[in-house]
Amino acid sequence: MLQLQSNFIFPPIKLGYTAGDGKVTQKHLGFYGERNKYIGAITPEPLYMDPGLRELPTQLGIDDDSKIEGLKLLNETIHQNGAKSIAHLNHPGRMANPKIPGNFFWSSTDKACENGGAIPEKMDRGEMIIVIQLFVESAKRAMASGFDLIELQFGHGYLLAQFISPAVNDRDDEYGGSFENRVKFPLEIAKAVREAVNIPIIARISGDEMIPNGFHLVDMIRFSQMLENKRMDAVHVSAGSACSTPPWFFQHMFIPKGKTWEMAGKIKQQLNIPVIFVGKINSEKDIRFIENNYQADYLAIGRALIADPDFVGKYLGKEKGLTRPCLACAEGCLGGVKSGKGLGCVVNPLVNTGLPKVKKDSVTKRYAVVGGGLAGMQAAITLRDRGHDVDLYEKNELGGQFNLAYLPPNKENMKEIIDYFIEEIKVHEPHQVNLIKQEATDEFLKSWNYEMVVMATGAVPAVPPIKGLKEYYWTEFLKDEQLPANQKVLIIGGGLIGLEVASKLVDANNQVVVVEMLSEIARGMEMIEKSMTLKRLKAKNTEIFVNHKVVEINEDQVFIVGEEGKKVIKSVDKIVVATGMNSYVPFKNVGSIPMHFVGDAQKVGKAQDAIHDAYELAINL
């Protein structure tokens, strides 16, 4: 293994920044250039080895020599501050994107992933030889492009894992059946690439597929020892499968932190080569825990470096300032890629937005920000960082309605961004955010003669005009002290808020009924959270009516109307109304003082919208 300037590695995270031609763009250079200080090595996103094997239409490629020039430039950028570069080579097999024209699908099986996707062709020996050659040619191209290391993907439900997994591999030839047969083709890949290049090779594996009939840690210990015998230089231990266990694959906030570390620790005990630890390592406490408990050789830190490019530098004491936290929410990174916009970040407004960094102004001014939610705090902090004095008015708790975001099950870490903003507001040098715990009226603000007023007053629940609707709740049940138990609760509205309230209610043995007017349930939820929440509700026998409207409430009876006519839901104890939000603007002018609106006060949106829009406004005022 190369000597790296630190034991931190940036793992392969999909960006989706090409123009569709697989070539490096300025966006790639900017993204990795921001993260090349103090890091030991950077792994750009997975490089497709054939145009028919793409996971994203905008994925980087290494499939022909036309890509070399751009990859050389990318490597020069990565190397600028001493970091090494790793080429991650992966064949997706049946997990190639079926929506991309021209993609083809080979596998150890002819069965599609149970979560959807194309029906693959069960590979013959000739096709295996083609795949081996693809890996070899791509590895040679990686060397020609200036990469310092190569990483081969043996896990995460991709082609080589499709051979290893007893849940997928249903062959009856020499590449199926026993463990030794199932690992034969992956080991042929390892051997061929090892013989083709003279730079270090990392093997990335899933320590466990996290499904009952898949491969498990005991298998991966044996496989890792075989990889060591094939002269692999390190093993990178993750978990899960893109097909069957996406939350583990993406290390989502809904899965427990530390399981992958435990797997890596047990594999490390059986090997003489370095092991790379990965999986939601997003705090200094995590790093210290892994190093103290497992004596980790290397740590792969990805999303924490998306949220804060100086995460490693701050940990090492070489950069100052608070660390902006990664929430492991997958909303900006995974959600941005899936939507075709490319990787973004909920908490970092500089990722994939083109917005500039804060610069100091030559003249100090005084601003008022009304409202201390995410938008208000971000605006106030950015104005302060520009060198201005800011009065932030918030009569209640800082964080606004985002204080509700961490109350549903498995979302506790969402609180970290509020804690971060609150700590940032306490920083008073050289300028300060002066927190004023009172309501700001137009007359009061006028008397202070501010340069400008930023209205970040958020939104209030929208309540539909339903006959008989008198007593109802909104998000009160997210709080433990107000959570009812053993009751029948009907929720009007099946969007993000409605489903989060439902998820909390079912834990207290409540019978929950959700009525959604549109055809889509859980609008606004990130896709993994949506899948896991709906699975959770189904397991608790939650009734969900889509394309239905509540038309009348008569005591404990709720009448709903759908395509099949009118229905009555009886014995309802409590009603929750979660039918959307409306902007809250208590006043629209402060005399002649210029006024700007931001966050939900301007347009109701998500946390990412609030933070990004507030930053953009504050740097442009």
Side-chain angles (χ1 to χ4, degrees), residues 131-182:
V131 170
I132 293 171
Q133 195 59 32
L134 268 182
F135 273 100
V136 167
E137 291 173 357
S138 298
K140 290 179 178 178
R141 209 169 280 126
M143 280 190 64
S145 302
F147 282 99
D148 304 293
L149 303 91
I150 287 169
E151 181 170 78
L152 302 178
Q153 174 64 280
F154 293 93
H156 281 166
Y158 293 121
L159 178 64
L160 303 186
Q162 290 160 27
F163 272 83
I164 300 170
S165 175
V168 181
N169 188 336
D170 54 4
R171 306 176 73 89
D172 57 9
D173 61 6
E174 62 181 301
Y175 295 98
S178 69
F179 174 79
E180 288 75 15
N181 283 2
R182 287 184 278 112

Side-chain angles (χ1 to χ4, degrees), residues 38-54:
Y38 315 116
I39 196 85
I42 288 177
T43 316
E45 73 175 7
L47 306 170
Y48 68 76
M49 300 184 294
D50 184 285
L53 297 175
R54 287 174 292 167

Side-chain angles (χ1 to χ4, degrees), residues 352-386:
N352 195 23
T353 61
L355 296 173
K357 292 183 178 180
V358 173
K359 292 182 180 179
K360 292 282 187 184
D361 288 348
S362 57
V363 178
T364 297
K365 298 177 181 178
R366 192 174 183 192
Y367 291 92
V369 177
V370 182
L374 297 185
M377 290 191 287
Q378 178 67 73
I381 291 164
T382 306
L383 288 168
R384 179 208 58 201
D385 290 347
R386 284 181 55 191

Side-chain angles (χ1 to χ4, degrees), residues 82-294:
K84 301 298 183 182
S85 57
I86 303 171
H88 180 89
L89 305 181
N90 174 37
H91 192 303
R94 66 177 184 168
M95 299 309 295
N97 191 334
K99 296 180 181 179
I100 299 177
N103 267 3
F104 59 94
F105 313 91
W106 292 352
S107 183
S108 63
T109 181
D110 55 8
K111 295 183 176 62
C113 168
E114 60 268 24
N115 285 356
I119 297 174
E121 177 184 347
K122 185 179 287 192
M123 295 169 65
D124 60 24
R125 183 58 191 167
E127 288 163 340
M128 290 183 193
I129 292 171
I130 291 172
V131 170
I132 293 171
Q133 195 59 32
L134 268 182
F135 273 100
V136 167
E137 291 173 357
S138 298
K140 290 179 178 178
R141 209 169 280 126
M143 280 190 64
S145 302
F147 282 99
D148 304 293
L149 303 91
I150 287 169
E151 181 170 78
L152 302 178
Q153 174 64 280
F154 293 93
H156 281 166
Y158 293 121
L159 178 64
L160 303 186
Q162 290 160 27
F163 272 83
I164 300 170
S165 175
V168 181
N169 188 336
D170 54 4
R171 306 176 73 89
D172 57 9
D173 61 6
E174 62 181 301
Y175 295 98
S178 69
F179 174 79
E180 288 75 15
N181 283 2
R182 287 184 278 112
V183 299
K184 185 174 181 180
F185 177 53
L187 291 175
E188 289 177 353
I189 299 283
K191 180 176 184 291
V193 175
R194 177 70 285 167
E195 291 174 351
V197 298
N198 59 6
I199 58 177
I201 302 174
I202 300 167
R204 194 172 207 208
I205 67 169
S206 290
D208 194 303
E209 280 195 292
M210 310 307 290
I211 53 175
N213 58 342
F215 57 72
H216 302 296
L217 182 61
V218 63
D219 306 306
M220 288 299 99
I221 290 173
R222 289 177 63 195
F223 184 58
S224 297
Q225 292 169 332
M226 294 174 174
L227 290 169
E228 181 177 3
N229 290 335
K230 294 296 181 184
R231 296 186 294 133
M232 298 293 101
D233 294 276
V235 175
H236 184 174
V237 183
S238 185
S241 162
C243 167
S244 51
T245 50
W248 286 97
F249 169 57
F250 291 110
Q251 287 294 293
H252 192 266
M253 63 180 171
F254 273 37
I255 61 121
K257 178 183 287 193
K259 186 69 175 178
T260 51
W261 313 343
E262 182 184 330
M263 294 176 195
K266 290 181 178 178
I267 289 174
K268 176 178 166 59
Q269 292 173 1
Q270 305 298 322
L271 298 182
N272 298 305
I273 56 176
V275 171
I276 302 169
F277 287 65
V278 73
K280 293 206 290 188
I281 305 172
N282 52 22
S283 72
E284 294 186 9
K285 183 175 73 172
D286 294 339
I287 296 172
R288 289 193 295 270
F289 180 89
I290 294 168
E291 291 182 337
N292 292 337
N293 287 273
Y294 301 111

Side-chain angles (χ1 to χ4, degrees), residues 10 34-35 301-314 319-326 345 347-348 351 420 424:
F10 188 91
E34 278 291 307
R35 292 160 176 81
I301 297 177
R303 288 174 296 177
L305 277 162
I306 297 172
D308 191 332
D310 293 323
F311 176 87
V312 170
K314 289 173 180 176
E319 293 285 345
K320 296 181 179 179
L322 299 170
T323 300
R324 189 172 283 244
C326 167
C345 181
V347 302
N348 186 346
V351 178
Y420 164 79
E424 274 284 3

